[in-house]
Amino acid sequence: MTHSLMNNQVIATQRVGILGGGTAGATIAIRLAALGLETYVFEKNKSLIDGPPMCHLHAGGNLYREIPDEDCVALLKQCIDILRLYPYTIDVRPTVFAVPTRDDGMPEDLLPRLEILTDAYRELIAQDANNKVLGEPEDYYQLYSHEQLIALSEREQVTVPTTVDEWMIPVAKYLDLNKVKFPLIVVQEYGWNIFRLAASAQLALDGYEHAHVFTDTQVKQVMPVDCENCSNADHHVTKWRIDYQQGAGLDPEAQSNSKIESIEVDYLVNACGFRTGVIDDMVGVKVTRMVEFKSSYITHWEDTGGQIPEIIVYGNRGTPEGMAQLTPYPGGYFQIHGMSNFITLFNDGLVASSKDSAQPKLPPQYVHYIEDGWDKAPLQARSQQAIDYVAEFVPTFHSARTVGNALYGGQQIPGEDDTLRVADVSLYSNIRYARAENVKASSTLIAADQIVDELSELGLIEIDTPVNRNRYAHEWAYLAHNDSLAIETVARDLAKERGFPLAMAGVNRGIREKALKDLNINNSSDNYRT
């Protein structure tokens, strides 16, 4: 099949197969479909981006005291980039970081990093004024002393805060100030909503005539079609065949009656998240990696008195005193991380690949949770433990109640360093194969860019075009045709389908419409349906 596309010079239509429709697969698909490539996404779940928990943008990586400053700068850049692709997924509120008195660290230890990040943010704005999506650089972080917090605790709480001081009133009232060191650090690391992210990706891909999304679909096998010197380690593949079966959620008998279909593609992208090793084994690529099962818990707390920021209390990961994290949603719902082995982490939840397989093998119990949902008793127990964990520092949180929900999944970690937080993609040019290796969802657009550059190097697409330049100006066509209400409508459907409170599909405070208009969104695209 041939198809001439005036804007991007693709003469013979090239096909790209993307295995996995999580944040990486969906984002890569948006990037490629916008360029006019016939893009096929295969996702086992019923909808896109239904995976491990997310909480906030990590716009600077301040959550991770153990990673180097250069990784924090990379996270800042990536978060600004991804925010401009998915602006309606953001909850505009700060994140408060507290060092507990029992911790060896001091708040002042983080100040040099925060200055580096402030300078990096200022430089990004100098490069492109539309990068100013986290407020003014001088407001990127602020410090609050014990005296300031005591004074704030005596003020009346504001239902809808508009200043940092107003955001800090409930912190001053609810946080046990005797258990933390000062100053507290407030950073403009905004909330990130997975339901709205899934909705944004779905609507974006719905608009591209070149995007073909197969959800509820199991990839059975991938095989090289055109292979040169296949017995040689340095062999070359120019086409792949993907065998797939729709109806992944069918019972075994019904599935046995469902036919296996096939499609040939010119390039293969492995975006299977924690299952990337399964495809590596099929393709014949040897790689070392880890997978970690993690969970966060949804609770309801009516006694907030209004909106509050995200609150993080540092701790040493994997110890009984690991980090505690309280993430707000509308309607009094809160997501809790507790980085100890009886809440978010699991004693046997971190596994590594072997010499025989690139796919780490999670214990069957966690695979069962991922595929079929949590068992009620352990979910209830861990949810209550999460409430108690947070209540050590926020005593009135003892009144919160479990709601029988969790956000959980397997997180892939390339290599052998379980503290790695910045990774994007590995490319295998000789076999036209890429593996997305995003530890953090914010890295997915960078991974997509690298794949586009690779496709150009292989002669599969021309990138010196207006359409490709639109990406770097963040002129995403779907933003011209969908507003916050459209995103929320789909997000509510997804929350309901996944068994979560509908309120969690909303944000307490979204990106302002004026800020979006300032992004200079292009209202037209030759490859976008209107």
mmCIF file of all heavy atoms in Angstrom, residues 466-509:
data_model
loop_
_atom_site.group_PDB
_atom_site.id
_atom_site.type_symbol
_atom_site.label_atom_id
_atom_site.label_comp_id
_atom_site.label_asym_id
_atom_site.label_seq_id
_atom_site.Cartn_x
_atom_site.Cartn_y
_atom_site.Cartn_z
ATOM 1 N N PRO A 466 7.607 20.268 8.546
ATOM 2 C CA PRO A 466 6.784 21.075 9.458
ATOM 3 C C PRO A 466 6.090 20.221 10.524
ATOM 4 O O PRO A 466 5.987 20.629 11.678
ATOM 5 C CB PRO A 466 5.762 21.740 8.532
ATOM 6 C CG PRO A 466 6.431 21.782 7.195
ATOM 7 C CD PRO A 466 7.260 20.529 7.122
ATOM 8 N N VAL A 467 5.601 19.056 10.151
ATOM 9 C CA VAL A 467 4.875 18.215 11.104
ATOM 10 C C VAL A 467 5.777 17.784 12.253
ATOM 11 O O VAL A 467 5.380 17.804 13.427
ATOM 12 C CB VAL A 467 4.277 16.977 10.396
ATOM 13 C CG1 VAL A 467 3.678 16.018 11.416
ATOM 14 C CG2 VAL A 467 3.215 17.401 9.400
ATOM 15 N N ASN A 468 7.020 17.418 11.943
ATOM 16 C CA ASN A 468 7.934 17.016 13.013
ATOM 17 C C ASN A 468 8.323 18.215 13.874
ATOM 18 O O ASN A 468 8.470 18.101 15.094
ATOM 19 C CB ASN A 468 9.185 16.350 12.441
ATOM 20 C CG ASN A 468 10.003 15.660 13.520
ATOM 21 O OD1 ASN A 468 9.469 14.921 14.343
ATOM 22 N ND2 ASN A 468 11.297 15.918 13.550
ATOM 23 N N ARG A 469 8.458 19.367 13.249
ATOM 24 C CA ARG A 469 8.801 20.557 14.033
ATOM 25 C C ARG A 469 7.661 20.953 14.963
ATOM 26 O O ARG A 469 7.896 21.579 16.008
ATOM 27 C CB ARG A 469 9.185 21.710 13.094
ATOM 28 C CG ARG A 469 10.556 21.500 12.428
ATOM 29 C CD ARG A 469 11.036 22.763 11.745
ATOM 30 N NE ARG A 469 10.304 23.051 10.528
ATOM 31 C CZ ARG A 469 10.624 22.559 9.321
ATOM 32 N NH1 ARG A 469 11.660 21.732 9.193
ATOM 33 N NH2 ARG A 469 9.917 22.876 8.256
ATOM 34 N N ASN A 470 6.445 20.603 14.607
ATOM 35 C CA ASN A 470 5.307 20.890 15.484
ATOM 36 C C ASN A 470 5.495 20.268 16.863
ATOM 37 O O ASN A 470 5.079 20.824 17.874
ATOM 38 C CB ASN A 470 4.009 20.346 14.876
ATOM 39 C CG ASN A 470 3.497 21.196 13.738
ATOM 40 O OD1 ASN A 470 3.990 22.297 13.499
ATOM 41 N ND2 ASN A 470 2.511 20.675 13.027
ATOM 42 N N ARG A 471 6.128 19.087 16.891
ATOM 43 C CA ARG A 471 6.315 18.412 18.180
ATOM 44 C C ARG A 471 7.165 19.270 19.128
ATOM 45 O O ARG A 471 6.866 19.398 20.314
ATOM 46 C CB ARG A 471 6.977 17.044 17.969
ATOM 47 C CG ARG A 471 7.383 16.336 19.291
ATOM 48 C CD ARG A 471 8.837 16.654 19.644
ATOM 49 N NE ARG A 471 9.282 16.039 20.871
ATOM 50 C CZ ARG A 471 9.215 16.571 22.088
ATOM 51 N NH1 ARG A 471 8.638 17.738 22.265
ATOM 52 N NH2 ARG A 471 9.709 15.957 23.126
ATOM 53 N N TYR A 472 8.214 19.858 18.586
ATOM 54 C CA TYR A 472 9.123 20.620 19.430
ATOM 55 C C TYR A 472 8.541 21.979 19.806
ATOM 56 O O TYR A 472 8.985 22.603 20.766
ATOM 57 C CB TYR A 472 10.485 20.741 18.761
ATOM 58 C CG TYR A 472 11.132 19.385 18.608
ATOM 59 C CD1 TYR A 472 11.097 18.694 17.401
ATOM 60 C CD2 TYR A 472 11.703 18.758 19.711
ATOM 61 C CE1 TYR A 472 11.647 17.430 17.286
ATOM 62 C CE2 TYR A 472 12.254 17.491 19.601
ATOM 63 C CZ TYR A 472 12.221 16.830 18.386
ATOM 64 O OH TYR A 472 12.747 15.569 18.288
ATOM 65 N N ALA A 473 7.518 22.405 19.073
ATOM 66 C CA ALA A 473 6.751 23.583 19.470
ATOM 67 C C ALA A 473 5.541 23.179 20.310
ATOM 68 O O ALA A 473 4.765 24.030 20.731
ATOM 69 C CB ALA A 473 6.286 24.342 18.231
ATOM 70 N N HIS A 474 5.399 21.899 20.539
ATOM 71 C CA HIS A 474 4.279 21.340 21.309
ATOM 72 C C HIS A 474 2.936 21.726 20.706
ATOM 73 O O HIS A 474 1.991 22.079 21.416
ATOM 74 C CB HIS A 474 4.373 21.741 22.778
ATOM 75 C CG HIS A 474 5.476 21.025 23.501
ATOM 76 N ND1 HIS A 474 5.339 19.746 23.961
ATOM 77 C CD2 HIS A 474 6.737 21.398 23.794
ATOM 78 C CE1 HIS A 474 6.475 19.363 24.526
ATOM 79 N NE2 HIS A 474 7.338 20.345 24.428
ATOM 80 N N GLU A 475 2.848 21.635 19.391
ATOM 81 C CA GLU A 475 1.580 21.860 18.704
ATOM 82 C C GLU A 475 0.915 20.507 18.495
ATOM 83 O O GLU A 475 0.987 19.907 17.427
ATOM 84 C CB GLU A 475 1.829 22.598 17.380
ATOM 85 C CG GLU A 475 2.357 24.017 17.600
ATOM 86 C CD GLU A 475 2.776 24.720 16.333
ATOM 87 O OE1 GLU A 475 2.790 24.073 15.263
ATOM 88 O OE2 GLU A 475 3.106 25.915 16.403
ATOM 89 N N TRP A 476 0.277 20.019 19.554
ATOM 90 C CA TRP A 476 -0.373 18.708 19.534
ATOM 91 C C TRP A 476 -1.823 18.875 19.087
ATOM 92 O O TRP A 476 -2.606 19.584 19.719
ATOM 93 C CB TRP A 476 -0.301 18.063 20.911
ATOM 94 C CG TRP A 476 1.112 17.854 21.368
ATOM 95 C CD1 TRP A 476 1.792 18.565 22.312
ATOM 96 C CD2 TRP A 476 2.032 16.855 20.887
ATOM 97 N NE1 TRP A 476 3.076 18.078 22.449
ATOM 98 C CE2 TRP A 476 3.255 17.030 21.586
ATOM 99 C CE3 TRP A 476 1.944 15.826 19.936
ATOM 100 C CZ2 TRP A 476 4.366 16.223 21.367
ATOM 101 C CZ3 TRP A 476 3.046 15.029 19.714
ATOM 102 C CH2 TRP A 476 4.247 15.219 20.422
ATOM 103 N N ALA A 477 -2.166 18.219 18.004
ATOM 104 C CA ALA A 477 -3.469 18.457 17.369
ATOM 105 C C ALA A 477 -4.640 18.176 18.306
ATOM 106 O O ALA A 477 -5.640 18.898 18.288
ATOM 107 C CB ALA A 477 -3.589 17.594 16.106
ATOM 108 N N TYR A 478 -4.562 17.157 19.137
ATOM 109 C CA TYR A 478 -5.731 16.806 19.949
ATOM 110 C C TYR A 478 -6.096 17.905 20.934
ATOM 111 O O TYR A 478 -7.265 18.030 21.336
ATOM 112 C CB TYR A 478 -5.504 15.474 20.664
ATOM 113 C CG TYR A 478 -4.886 15.556 22.049
ATOM 114 C CD1 TYR A 478 -5.684 15.505 23.194
ATOM 115 C CD2 TYR A 478 -3.510 15.683 22.219
ATOM 116 C CE1 TYR A 478 -5.128 15.576 24.460
ATOM 117 C CE2 TYR A 478 -2.946 15.749 23.482
ATOM 118 C CZ TYR A 478 -3.761 15.691 24.604
ATOM 119 O OH TYR A 478 -3.209 15.771 25.860
ATOM 120 N N LEU A 479 -5.107 18.734 21.325
ATOM 121 C CA LEU A 479 -5.386 19.815 22.272
ATOM 122 C C LEU A 479 -6.239 20.912 21.644
ATOM 123 O O LEU A 479 -6.900 21.675 22.352
ATOM 124 C CB LEU A 479 -4.083 20.409 22.797
ATOM 125 C CG LEU A 479 -3.246 19.498 23.698
ATOM 126 C CD1 LEU A 479 -1.933 20.171 24.063
ATOM 127 C CD2 LEU A 479 -4.018 19.106 24.943
ATOM 128 N N ALA A 480 -6.235 20.984 20.338
ATOM 129 C CA ALA A 480 -7.069 21.968 19.659
ATOM 130 C C ALA A 480 -8.516 21.505 19.560
ATOM 131 O O ALA A 480 -9.410 22.314 19.279
ATOM 132 C CB ALA A 480 -6.516 22.245 18.261
ATOM 133 N N HIS A 481 -8.746 20.224 19.798
ATOM 134 C CA HIS A 481 -10.088 19.656 19.601
ATOM 135 C C HIS A 481 -10.702 19.103 20.874
ATOM 136 O O HIS A 481 -11.834 18.630 20.855
ATOM 137 C CB HIS A 481 -10.025 18.548 18.542
ATOM 138 C CG HIS A 481 -9.427 18.986 17.241
ATOM 139 N ND1 HIS A 481 -10.101 19.789 16.337
ATOM 140 C CD2 HIS A 481 -8.204 18.776 16.687
ATOM 141 C CE1 HIS A 481 -9.325 20.034 15.296
ATOM 142 N NE2 HIS A 481 -8.166 19.432 15.482
ATOM 143 N N ASN A 482 -9.960 19.131 21.988
ATOM 144 C CA ASN A 482 -10.463 18.601 23.251
ATOM 145 C C ASN A 482 -10.086 19.550 24.382
ATOM 146 O O ASN A 482 -8.965 20.037 24.443
ATOM 147 C CB ASN A 482 -9.859 17.220 23.534
ATOM 148 C CG ASN A 482 -10.310 16.168 22.549
ATOM 149 O OD1 ASN A 482 -11.422 15.662 22.618
ATOM 150 N ND2 ASN A 482 -9.443 15.844 21.589
ATOM 151 N N ASP A 483 -11.039 19.784 25.273
ATOM 152 C CA ASP A 483 -10.751 20.626 26.428
ATOM 153 C C ASP A 483 -10.767 19.774 27.698
ATOM 154 O O ASP A 483 -10.909 18.546 27.643
ATOM 155 C CB ASP A 483 -11.752 21.779 26.526
ATOM 156 C CG ASP A 483 -13.203 21.301 26.634
ATOM 157 O OD1 ASP A 483 -13.430 20.077 26.867
ATOM 158 O OD2 ASP A 483 -14.117 22.131 26.486
ATOM 159 N N SER A 484 -10.638 20.435 28.840
ATOM 160 C CA SER A 484 -10.577 19.720 30.108
ATOM 161 C C SER A 484 -11.828 18.889 30.352
ATOM 162 O O SER A 484 -11.760 17.778 30.882
ATOM 163 C CB SER A 484 -10.379 20.719 31.259
ATOM 164 O OG SER A 484 -10.299 20.054 32.498
ATOM 165 N N LEU A 485 -12.991 19.414 29.952
ATOM 166 C CA LEU A 485 -14.247 18.688 30.163
ATOM 167 C C LEU A 485 -14.270 17.399 29.353
ATOM 168 O O LEU A 485 -14.722 16.353 29.842
ATOM 169 C CB LEU A 485 -15.435 19.573 29.784
ATOM 170 C CG LEU A 485 -16.819 18.938 29.951
ATOM 171 C CD1 LEU A 485 -17.059 18.539 31.400
ATOM 172 C CD2 LEU A 485 -17.913 19.910 29.473
ATOM 173 N N ALA A 486 -13.794 17.446 28.110
ATOM 174 C CA ALA A 486 -13.752 16.238 27.272
ATOM 175 C C ALA A 486 -12.841 15.190 27.892
ATOM 176 O O ALA A 486 -13.168 13.994 27.918
ATOM 177 C CB ALA A 486 -13.271 16.598 25.866
ATOM 178 N N ILE A 487 -11.684 15.635 28.406
ATOM 179 C CA ILE A 487 -10.752 14.713 29.066
ATOM 180 C C ILE A 487 -11.414 14.097 30.295
ATOM 181 O O ILE A 487 -11.350 12.883 30.522
ATOM 182 C CB ILE A 487 -9.457 15.442 29.472
ATOM 183 C CG1 ILE A 487 -8.748 16.055 28.256
ATOM 184 C CG2 ILE A 487 -8.528 14.508 30.247
ATOM 185 C CD1 ILE A 487 -8.286 15.079 27.218
ATOM 186 N N GLU A 488 -12.079 14.939 31.104
ATOM 187 C CA GLU A 488 -12.668 14.437 32.344
ATOM 188 C C GLU A 488 -13.807 13.461 32.073
ATOM 189 O O GLU A 488 -13.987 12.490 32.810
ATOM 190 C CB GLU A 488 -13.161 15.591 33.214
ATOM 191 C CG GLU A 488 -13.693 15.117 34.549
ATOM 192 C CD GLU A 488 -13.626 16.178 35.628
ATOM 193 O OE1 GLU A 488 -12.752 17.072 35.553
ATOM 194 O OE2 GLU A 488 -14.438 16.105 36.557
ATOM 195 N N THR A 489 -14.565 13.689 31.017
ATOM 196 C CA THR A 489 -15.661 12.776 30.685
ATOM 197 C C THR A 489 -15.135 11.369 30.421
ATOM 198 O O THR A 489 -15.664 10.381 30.945
ATOM 199 C CB THR A 489 -16.429 13.295 29.456
ATOM 200 O OG1 THR A 489 -16.973 14.591 29.761
ATOM 201 C CG2 THR A 489 -17.559 12.343 29.082
ATOM 202 N N VAL A 490 -14.079 11.267 29.623
ATOM 203 C CA VAL A 490 -13.493 9.956 29.334
ATOM 204 C C VAL A 490 -12.812 9.399 30.584
ATOM 205 O O VAL A 490 -12.900 8.200 30.870
ATOM 206 C CB VAL A 490 -12.492 10.061 28.162
ATOM 207 C CG1 VAL A 490 -11.810 8.719 27.912
ATOM 208 C CG2 VAL A 490 -13.205 10.535 26.900
ATOM 209 N N ALA A 491 -12.143 10.264 31.345
ATOM 210 C CA ALA A 491 -11.451 9.817 32.564
ATOM 211 C C ALA A 491 -12.436 9.224 33.566
ATOM 212 O O ALA A 491 -12.133 8.231 34.240
ATOM 213 C CB ALA A 491 -10.689 10.982 33.184
ATOM 214 N N ARG A 492 -13.616 9.807 33.684
ATOM 215 C CA ARG A 492 -14.626 9.269 34.602
ATOM 216 C C ARG A 492 -15.085 7.888 34.154
ATOM 217 O O ARG A 492 -15.297 6.984 34.975
ATOM 218 C CB ARG A 492 -15.812 10.230 34.699
ATOM 219 C CG ARG A 492 -15.511 11.475 35.521
ATOM 220 C CD ARG A 492 -16.635 12.503 35.429
ATOM 221 N NE ARG A 492 -17.867 12.020 36.073
ATOM 222 C CZ ARG A 492 -18.151 12.174 37.350
ATOM 223 N NH1 ARG A 492 -17.281 12.788 38.156
ATOM 224 N NH2 ARG A 492 -19.296 11.742 37.847
ATOM 225 N N ASP A 493 -15.236 7.707 32.852
ATOM 226 C CA ASP A 493 -15.602 6.378 32.334
ATOM 227 C C ASP A 493 -14.527 5.354 32.679
ATOM 228 O O ASP A 493 -14.839 4.217 33.062
ATOM 229 C CB ASP A 493 -15.798 6.435 30.820
ATOM 230 C CG ASP A 493 -17.063 7.196 30.414
ATOM 231 O OD1 ASP A 493 -17.953 7.368 31.279
ATOM 232 O OD2 ASP A 493 -17.139 7.624 29.245
ATOM 233 N N LEU A 494 -13.269 5.759 32.548
ATOM 234 C CA LEU A 494 -12.163 4.846 32.835
ATOM 235 C C LEU A 494 -12.093 4.525 34.325
ATOM 236 O O LEU A 494 -11.848 3.384 34.710
ATOM 237 C CB LEU A 494 -10.840 5.450 32.363
ATOM 238 C CG LEU A 494 -10.683 5.579 30.842
ATOM 239 C CD1 LEU A 494 -9.425 6.370 30.503
ATOM 240 C CD2 LEU A 494 -10.632 4.211 30.179
ATOM 241 N N ALA A 495 -12.288 5.543 35.174
ATOM 242 C CA ALA A 495 -12.271 5.302 36.614
ATOM 243 C C ALA A 495 -13.370 4.320 37.002
ATOM 244 O O ALA A 495 -13.147 3.390 37.796
ATOM 245 C CB ALA A 495 -12.436 6.621 37.368
ATOM 246 N N LYS A 496 -14.551 4.509 36.445
ATOM 247 C CA LYS A 496 -15.672 3.604 36.732
ATOM 248 C C LYS A 496 -15.371 2.193 36.257
ATOM 249 O O LYS A 496 -15.586 1.212 36.979
ATOM 250 C CB LYS A 496 -16.944 4.130 36.071
ATOM 251 C CG LYS A 496 -18.172 3.266 36.335
ATOM 252 C CD LYS A 496 -19.411 3.860 35.678
ATOM 253 C CE LYS A 496 -20.638 2.981 35.948
ATOM 254 N NZ LYS A 496 -21.853 3.558 35.295
ATOM 255 N N GLU A 497 -14.842 2.084 35.046
ATOM 256 C CA GLU A 497 -14.513 0.772 34.474
ATOM 257 C C GLU A 497 -13.480 0.034 35.320
ATOM 258 O O GLU A 497 -13.533 -1.191 35.469
ATOM 259 C CB GLU A 497 -13.999 0.971 33.048
ATOM 260 C CG GLU A 497 -13.535 -0.280 32.331
ATOM 261 C CD GLU A 497 -12.910 0.049 30.988
ATOM 262 O OE1 GLU A 497 -13.638 0.574 30.114
ATOM 263 O OE2 GLU A 497 -11.693 -0.186 30.820
ATOM 264 N N ARG A 498 -12.555 0.783 35.922
ATOM 265 C CA ARG A 498 -11.471 0.185 36.705
ATOM 266 C C ARG A 498 -11.811 0.049 38.192
ATOM 267 O O ARG A 498 -10.985 -0.419 38.974
ATOM 268 C CB ARG A 498 -10.189 1.004 36.528
ATOM 269 C CG ARG A 498 -9.709 1.045 35.078
ATOM 270 C CD ARG A 498 -8.504 1.968 34.898
ATOM 271 N NE ARG A 498 -8.188 2.145 33.485
ATOM 272 C CZ ARG A 498 -7.176 2.867 33.006
ATOM 273 N NH1 ARG A 498 -6.361 3.490 33.861
ATOM 274 N NH2 ARG A 498 -6.961 2.970 31.713
ATOM 275 N N GLY A 499 -13.024 0.489 38.572
ATOM 276 C CA GLY A 499 -13.472 0.296 39.941
ATOM 277 C C GLY A 499 -12.976 1.333 40.927
ATOM 278 O O GLY A 499 -12.845 1.035 42.123
ATOM 279 N N PHE A 500 -12.745 2.562 40.459
ATOM 280 C CA PHE A 500 -12.275 3.634 41.338
ATOM 281 C C PHE A 500 -13.356 4.700 41.483
ATOM 282 O O PHE A 500 -14.217 4.852 40.621
ATOM 283 C CB PHE A 500 -10.995 4.262 40.783
ATOM 284 C CG PHE A 500 -9.792 3.376 40.903
ATOM 285 C CD1 PHE A 500 -9.476 2.462 39.906
ATOM 286 C CD2 PHE A 500 -8.988 3.436 42.028
ATOM 287 C CE1 PHE A 500 -8.370 1.627 40.020
ATOM 288 C CE2 PHE A 500 -7.879 2.611 42.161
ATOM 289 C CZ PHE A 500 -7.576 1.699 41.154
ATOM 290 N N PRO A 501 -13.310 5.464 42.575
ATOM 291 C CA PRO A 501 -14.275 6.555 42.753
ATOM 292 C C PRO A 501 -14.208 7.538 41.588
ATOM 293 O O PRO A 501 -13.122 7.906 41.131
ATOM 294 C CB PRO A 501 -13.819 7.219 44.060
ATOM 295 C CG PRO A 501 -13.057 6.157 44.793
ATOM 296 C CD PRO A 501 -12.387 5.340 43.735
ATOM 297 N N LEU A 502 -15.371 7.987 41.119
ATOM 298 C CA LEU A 502 -15.407 8.888 39.969
ATOM 299 C C LEU A 502 -14.670 10.197 40.267
ATOM 300 O O LEU A 502 -14.112 10.814 39.352
ATOM 301 C CB LEU A 502 -16.853 9.183 39.564
ATOM 302 C CG LEU A 502 -17.661 7.997 39.035
ATOM 303 C CD1 LEU A 502 -19.032 8.468 38.570
ATOM 304 C CD2 LEU A 502 -16.935 7.301 37.885
ATOM 305 N N ALA A 503 -14.661 10.605 41.543
ATOM 306 C CA ALA A 503 -13.980 11.857 41.901
ATOM 307 C C ALA A 503 -12.503 11.820 41.538
ATOM 308 O O ALA A 503 -11.893 12.865 41.273
ATOM 309 C CB ALA A 503 -14.147 12.141 43.392
ATOM 310 N N MET A 504 -11.905 10.628 41.502
ATOM 311 C CA MET A 504 -10.478 10.521 41.216
ATOM 312 C C MET A 504 -10.148 10.831 39.764
ATOM 313 O O MET A 504 -8.980 10.963 39.398
ATOM 314 C CB MET A 504 -9.966 9.142 41.603
ATOM 315 C CG MET A 504 -9.955 8.906 43.106
ATOM 316 S SD MET A 504 -9.236 7.313 43.565
ATOM 317 C CE MET A 504 -7.525 7.539 43.058
ATOM 318 N N ALA A 505 -11.165 10.958 38.915
ATOM 319 C CA ALA A 505 -10.938 11.349 37.523
ATOM 320 C C ALA A 505 -10.778 12.858 37.385
ATOM 321 O O ALA A 505 -10.422 13.353 36.313
ATOM 322 C CB ALA A 505 -12.087 10.873 36.645
ATOM 323 N N GLY A 506 -11.024 13.598 38.455
ATOM 324 C CA GLY A 506 -10.917 15.044 38.413
ATOM 325 C C GLY A 506 -9.614 15.534 38.999
ATOM 326 O O GLY A 506 -8.774 14.767 39.471
ATOM 327 N N VAL A 507 -9.430 16.833 38.954
ATOM 328 C CA VAL A 507 -8.297 17.480 39.620
ATOM 329 C C VAL A 507 -8.849 18.607 40.478
ATOM 330 O O VAL A 507 -9.887 19.195 40.166
ATOM 331 C CB VAL A 507 -7.259 18.040 38.623
ATOM 332 C CG1 VAL A 507 -6.514 16.909 37.931
ATOM 333 C CG2 VAL A 507 -7.911 18.957 37.594
ATOM 334 N N ASN A 508 -8.172 18.883 41.575
ATOM 335 C CA ASN A 508 -8.603 19.991 42.421
ATOM 336 C C ASN A 508 -8.430 21.331 41.724
ATOM 337 O O ASN A 508 -9.251 22.225 41.847
ATOM 338 C CB ASN A 508 -7.814 19.976 43.735
ATOM 339 C CG ASN A 508 -8.328 18.921 44.697
ATOM 340 O OD1 ASN A 508 -9.530 18.781 44.896
ATOM 341 N ND2 ASN A 508 -7.419 18.159 45.303
ATOM 342 N N ARG A 509 -7.350 21.416 40.954
ATOM 343 C CA ARG A 509 -7.084 22.677 40.253
ATOM 344 C C ARG A 509 -6.310 22.369 38.981
ATOM 345 O O ARG A 509 -5.161 21.936 39.030
ATOM 346 C CB ARG A 509 -6.279 23.622 41.146
ATOM 347 C CG ARG A 509 -6.054 24.995 40.546
ATOM 348 C CD ARG A 509 -5.227 25.841 41.502
ATOM 349 N NE ARG A 509 -4.922 27.146 40.921
ATOM 350 C CZ ARG A 509 -4.038 27.989 41.433
ATOM 351 N NH1 ARG A 509 -3.374 27.669 42.514
ATOM 352 N NH2 ARG A 509 -3.812 29.147 40.863
#
